[in-house]
Amino acid sequence: MRAISQDTYGGPEVLKLIDTARPEPLPTEVLVRVEAAGVNPVDAKTRAGQGVAGLLGEPPFILGWDVSGVVKAVGHGVHTLAVGDEVYGMPWFPRAASAYAEYVTAPSRHFARKPANLDHIQAAAVPLAGLTAYQILTALADVQKDQRVLIHAAAGGVGHLAVQIAKALGAYVVGTASAGKHEWLRGLGVDAVIDYHSQELAEATGDLDVVVDLVGTEATLTQSVAVTRPGGLVVAVPSGSPQAVVDRAAESGVRVASYLVEPDGHALGEITELIESGAVRIEVEEVFPLAEAGAAHRRLEDGRTRGKLVLAVR
Ligand SMILES: NC(=O)c1ccc[n+]([C@@H]2O[C@H](COP(=O)([O-])OP(=O)(O)OC[C@H]3O[C@@H](n4cnc5c(N)ncnc54)[C@H](OP(=O)(O)O)[C@@H]3O)[C@@H](O)[C@H]2O)c1
């Protein structure tokens, strides 16, 4: 099968197309023919030797976690999926899933049924970003109706899904984004948008119950704590909180949490329902052929993506 591999850590240029053996499913696993693979910041960070690179061992390895495709074989013990099923998922994270390839094998319960109203390109954009938004807003923050939720980087892959999932939970949702993305975010249901280039967060909002900080710098985390009510929660998504932020939060009675996304076929099934009901839409900004994974990483590393980037594998 064709796959994208790297022999060394480095820039996007280390990603290269190779031929390699197709994997075989073990008991409880499925073999999925990958139609499309989503691209996430953790892919680029790991390619460069950061992200979850320390967990994958030294290169060569095949990057990628988000897949949408068709079940081609099932191992002994698989009860919930059958050959021919269209599925999507973020298997194995933070171990390697090797999703930048024509086939992957993974535990069947790391997948869910692909939303019927999405094609494979759209579906491949959902799992990692969607699970991040869903797990944070439900299990971690337990967002309730009428609570006030702020999403930093609301226009990105995680952010645009978090805005819509928070709205589906009944929250009042504030987002930060550049002015050019405000109208689009209003179309996704955001209640208020803050241009982080020209507006001070503390002047634009306050008394928040939950902040999902997808920028995660000391500056944004400090501002996030300042606009959160005592007892409220700030989630530092990219890489946790520096001690100065933890101390500031403790002084004002604000809780801070770090977070790491987990494979979860059950939660993904709930995301499928949100998508099929029309409550959540996925935005794919650009599609690249598998062989151009390096170009997709360059685009991702610009940091300006509206929604998601996807690799078309077939
Ligand atoms: N811990 C975990 O399990 C986990 C899971 C998923 C993602 N993450 C991390 O969360 C971060 C976001 O992921 P993502 O996939 O959503 O990234 P992304 O799609 O690449 O985010 C791009 C968006 O970020 C916005 N942005 C950049 N700087 C900003 C700022 N200072 N304030 C507000 N918006 C800003 C950009 O909008 P503008 O053009 O308007 O600036 C752009 O729309 C990444 O660091 C990722 O690694 C962590």
Side-chain angles (χ1 to χ4, degrees), residues 234-307:
V234 174
V235 185
V237 184
S239 47
S241 294
Q243 191 58 43
V245 172
V246 173
D247 294 345
R248 179 77 59 91
E251 282 165 18
S252 43
V254 171
R255 294 171 295 143
V256 288
S258 59
Y259 166 81
L260 193 62
V261 65
E262 279 187 81
D264 185 347
H266 183 73
L268 202 52
E270 288 168 359
I271 293 169
T272 295
E273 287 176 20
L274 286 169
I275 291 171
E276 289 182 342
S277 74
V280 171
R281 284 182 276 151
I282 181 77
E283 172 85 0
V284 176
E285 187 183 83
E286 195 168 349
V287 182
F288 297 78
L290 178 66
E292 290 173 26
H297 277 215
R298 267 180 218 105
R299 178 80 184 79
L300 182 87
E301 289 178 314
D302 287 347
R304 301 275 82 85
T305 312
R306 191 179 95 168

Side-chain angles (χ1 to χ4, degrees), residues 1-6 15-16 23 34 36-48 50-53 56 60-68 89-106 110-111 124-125 127-129 261 263 290 293-294 296-297 300 308-311 313:
M1 66 171 186
R2 292 181 310 135
I4 295 289
S5 182
Q6 62 185 96
L15 299 177
K16 57 177 194 182
V34 180
V39 179
N40 290 289
V42 70
D43 304 0
K45 292 175 188 176
T46 303
R47 182 210 71 226
Q50 297 154 11
V52 296
L56 301 192
F61 52 65
I62 298 170
L63 282 174
W65 283 274
D66 272 342
V67 298
S68 182
M90 181 211 64
W92 291 121
F93 190 86
R95 293 181 187 270
S98 304
Y100 290 3
E102 288 180 305
Y103 291 87
V104 299
T105 53
H110 287 189
F111 294 96
L128 191 148
V261 65
L290 178 66
H297 277 215
L300 182 87
K308 296 285 305 179
L309 306 174
V310 175
L311 301 176
V313 176

